[in-house]
Amino acid sequence: MIELRTPAEIEEMRPAGRFVASVLEATSAAAAVGVNLLELDALAHEMIRKAGAESCYIDYHPSFGASPFGKVICTSVNDAVLHGLPHDYTLRDGDLLSLDFAASVNGWVADSAISLVVGTPREEDLRLIDTTRRALDAGIAAARTGNRIGDISRAIADVAKAEGYSINTDFGGHGVGRTMHGDPHIPNNGRPGRGLPLKPGLVIAIEPWFLETTDRIFTDPDGWTLRSADGSRGSHSEHTIAITDGDPIVLTQRS
């Protein structure tokens, strides 16, 4: 069911957005050569505890997950692009790391993701990350009253295709509110002018993710981590936004 939020409810969602942004800022700043993925998860876990927030991930068990997630942040490295389950892995020079985090504050959820290179970057990785960020910006710019879901999807796809990246539509953006995932689904490719009309009060997460040389993925033996079929690297960017009568509000904007 699609729910529209009142202006007062959108204001109530701001603390969740600020908290999610702060955790991604802290964990991305802590990500360095020699840091273990479990240390990043522990940092996020401690921030949740101190803020009195609730994890959206630790007990999360959708149909595509092998078991409850059990951690509080997704850490996807190199050929992993989504749902990376934190494990005993120490970051190395040149690793491409995607961090995806969602939490509930005062009963409202926000969801966001960021990709970065640890240590010395490859030019190909910087291009991939930049494309994903620009695709997110384009999707947000299209998230205006009077447009439709397909306009967001096409704006994202246009950026990716201009750089030669193919697009997987199995996973994409989604509604956000009292729970992490809700309607509508927002694929990263689509036809303009099609799909649900965008109205003030719709709160959604827009999340482009691209792989360097494929659009095919498979699930890691851990039952969660999604990896590229050909071993190429992936990048993921996401913000939770609220659609208004004017410009969209980016609830998870980082400083």
Side-chain angles (χ1 to χ4, degrees), residues 28-250:
S28 60
V33 176
V35 172
N36 195 286
L37 297 182
L38 295 175
E39 294 179 73
L40 298 179
D41 183 71
L43 172 58
H45 208 144
E46 179 64 9
M47 293 183 72
I48 290 171
R49 186 191 66 80
K50 287 183 176 179
E54 295 182 14
S55 170
C56 291
Y57 290 165
I58 198 162
D59 295 321
Y60 186 51
H61 190 188
S63 59
F64 56 80
S67 61
F69 191 73
K71 305 296 182 184
V72 300
I73 190 169
C74 294
T75 55
S76 303
V77 181
N78 295 334
D79 64 322
V81 66
L82 296 176
H83 309 161
L85 185 64
H87 59 286
D88 184 13
Y89 175 83
T90 299
L91 291 167
R92 303 168 183 171
D93 187 48
D95 278 345
L96 197 169
L97 172 66
S98 297
L99 299 168
D100 188 359
F101 181 72
S104 175
V105 176
N106 300 324
W108 293 106
V109 171
D111 189 5
S112 188
I114 186 172
S115 291
L116 62 141
V117 176
V118 176
T120 309
R122 301 189 316 162
E123 187 61 37
E124 302 94 323
D125 291 343
L126 295 179
R127 175 172 167 261
L128 180 61
I129 291 171
D130 178 68
T131 301
T132 314
R133 289 173 179 165
R134 288 190 291 107
L136 176 59
D137 289 342
I140 293 172
R144 304 184 70 89
T145 298
N147 283 351
R148 292 176 177 265
I149 291 293
D151 295 302
I152 298 175
S153 301
R154 174 49 66 91
I156 292 169
D158 283 348
V159 175
K161 291 178 179 178
E163 295 294 335
Y165 298 122
S166 56
I167 300 165
N168 178 295
T169 55
D170 292 344
F171 295 90
H174 51 86
V176 180
R178 294 292 188 181
T179 60
M180 178 172 56
H181 288 145
D183 293 328
H185 172 65
I186 305 160
N188 289 323
N189 195 4
R191 298 175 64 183
R194 298 295 183 92
L196 179 80
L198 304 179
K199 298 180 180 180
L202 183 65
V203 179
I204 54 177
I206 299 175
E207 53 178 314
W209 59 277
F210 309 132
L211 298 164
E212 191 172 11
T213 57
T214 186
D215 59 9
R216 294 174 55 239
I217 54 176
F218 72 94
T219 303
D220 189 87
D222 67 16
W224 274 100
T225 305
L226 296 179
R227 298 184 181 276
S228 67
D230 64 357
S232 63
R233 296 185 173 200
S235 175
H236 180 199
S237 292
E238 177 181 20
H239 273 312
T240 296
I241 70 161
I243 294 172
T244 71
D245 285 318
D247 294 333
I249 299 170
V250 181

